[in-house]
Amino acid sequence: MRTAIFAHRGSKANRPENTLAAFEEAARVQSDGIELDVHLTKDQEVVVMHDEKVNRTTNGTGQIKQFTLRDLQELDAGSWFSGNYRKEKVPTLKEVLELLSDYSGVINIELKTDRNVYPGIEERVVRIVDAYRANLPVVYSSFNHESLIRLKKTDASAEVALLLWERLAEPWRYTQQVGATAQHLWEPSAFSDTAKQLHQHNIKVRAWTVNKPKHMQLAFQMGLDALITDYPEVALDLRKSYETAGKKLH
C-alpha cells in the first residue's frame, strides 16, 4: 500500500505555518494531503491557526477567542518566520478552501477543541466545507473525541479520525465506538503493533509528525496509510526513491 504524504500546517518547514503561503506551497509540491487547525473568533468566524493564543505566530498577544476576525486579521502572521512573509495574515477556513478549490488531495481539518470550548464550531466547519469543498476529500480530526461525535451528528457521512498520543488496548473497539475510520497517532505509537491491529479491522493509521527520513522510510515499509510531516517535499522524494528501488527488486 502506498503511504500518502500530508503537509503539516501547510509546508511548515519553509513557510509560516497555517498561512495561505504555506498551503499554496504544499499544493505546489503535490502533497497528497494538507493538514490545518481551526478555532473560533469572538464573532464566531472559523479561522486557521494552531495555538489557542496568537503570541507565537503573530505580532499580537492573547487568545484567539478574544479577537474579532477584523482585529485578528490586522495582525502580522508571517514576520516571525521571515520578513519576506510580513504580509501574511491569519486566514479564515473559507479563504483556505477558496485557495485550494482546485486541490484534489485530502484536506485534514483538526478541530482545536481540546483546550478551549467553542460551542457550535463543528456545525460551522461542516457548513463551510459543504459550501467550498463539496465532493472533494476531507477528514476531520481532534484530540477532543466528543467534538468528533458532535460533528458526526451534524454530518453522518463525515470521515473522522482520532488524534492520540498514546496506544489503546484493543484500539479498534474505541475507534469504532466513536464512529471514526482512522487514528492519527504520535510517531512512537504509530510505529508499533497498534498499526497492525487497526489495519486488521480496516482502520487507517496516519502518523504525526514524521520529519526524519529514516522514520519516513519506516512508514513506507510498514504500509501506514499516511505520514504527516513538516517536510512534504522531502517525503515525496523519498517515497519516489523507495518505490523505484522496490520496482527494481521485482
Side-chain angles (χ1 to χ4, degrees):
M1 183 185 68
R2 192 182 212 202
T3 301
I5 310 299
F6 282 27
H8 185 226
R9 306 181 203 170
S11 195
K12 180 177 177 285
N14 53 31
R15 299 290 188 278
E17 65 180 61
N18 277 325
T19 62
L20 295 182
F23 300 128
E24 185 175 42
E25 176 65 7
R28 186 192 69 80
V29 301
Q30 300 183 327
S31 302
D32 302 307
I34 296 175
E35 187 268 355
L36 56 85
D37 311 276
V38 294
H39 299 261
L40 278 185
T41 62
K42 184 178 180 180
D43 50 347
Q44 304 297 291
E45 295 288 343
V46 182
V47 293
V48 178
M49 183 182 281
H50 179 268
D51 300 358
E52 288 77 18
K53 293 184 177 181
V54 303
N55 303 38
R56 181 175 64 87
T57 57
T58 78
N59 60 338
T61 58
Q63 296 265 344
I64 292 173
K65 63 182 181 180
Q66 296 170 334
F67 286 82
T68 64
L69 177 61
R70 180 176 179 179
D71 290 340
L72 188 67
Q73 291 198 315
E74 288 180 356
L75 301 178
D76 174 351
S79 289
W80 67 275
F81 185 87
S82 166
N84 294 330
Y85 299 101
R86 64 183 180 278
K87 293 183 180 179
E88 290 297 321
K89 305 300 179 187
V90 177
T92 64
L93 180 60
K94 293 178 183 177
E95 289 170 335
V96 173
L97 296 185
E98 285 176 344
L99 175 74
L100 299 174
S101 60
D102 294 328
Y103 176 71
S104 60
V106 179
I107 301 293
N108 176 193
I109 300 174
E110 180 182 343
L111 302 164
K112 301 297 288 186
T113 51
D114 47 315
R115 294 187 180 181
N116 281 342
V117 176
Y118 295 122
I121 189 173
E122 297 87 4
E123 294 85 353
R124 290 179 183 276
V125 169
V126 167
R127 283 202 300 269
I128 292 168
V129 169
D130 285 346
Y132 290 88
R133 199 164 174 79
N135 303 316
L136 289 169
V138 173
V139 58
Y140 304 94
S141 60
S142 184
F143 285 103
N144 181 349
H145 303 161
E146 290 179 345
S147 192
L148 297 177
I149 291 171
R150 287 193 293 270
L151 192 142
K152 287 285 285 185
K153 289 180 179 178
T154 300
D155 180 2
S157 66
E159 182 181 351
V160 301
L162 308 179
L163 266 167
L164 291 162
W165 287 91
E166 70 280 2
R167 300 167 59 182
L168 302 178
E170 298 186 333
W172 64 91
R173 294 190 186 277
Y174 178 64
T175 307
Q176 293 168 343
Q177 179 184 346
V178 173
T181 57
Q183 285 194 9
H184 290 188
L185 291 167
W186 184 43
E187 268 188 308
S189 297
F191 297 144
S192 71
D193 289 342
T194 292
K196 182 178 180 180
Q197 293 172 22
L198 290 169
H199 279 165
Q200 287 173 342
H201 290 82
N202 298 314
I203 295 168
K204 295 177 181 177
V205 180
R206 302 183 180 106
W208 56 271
T209 303
V210 184
N211 287 337
K212 293 182 178 179
K214 65 179 181 179
H215 291 169
M216 294 174 184
Q217 294 277 11
L218 180 57
F220 303 149
Q221 292 165 10
M222 290 183 64
L224 298 189
D225 295 89
L227 61 85
I228 303 170
T229 180
D230 297 337
Y231 300 89
E233 69 285 358
V234 173
L236 289 162
D237 285 344
L238 276 175
R239 186 179 67 184
K240 184 176 180 180
S241 298
Y242 175 80
E243 291 175 345
T244 299
K247 289 177 182 177
K248 288 180 179 177
L249 288 174
H250 291 88

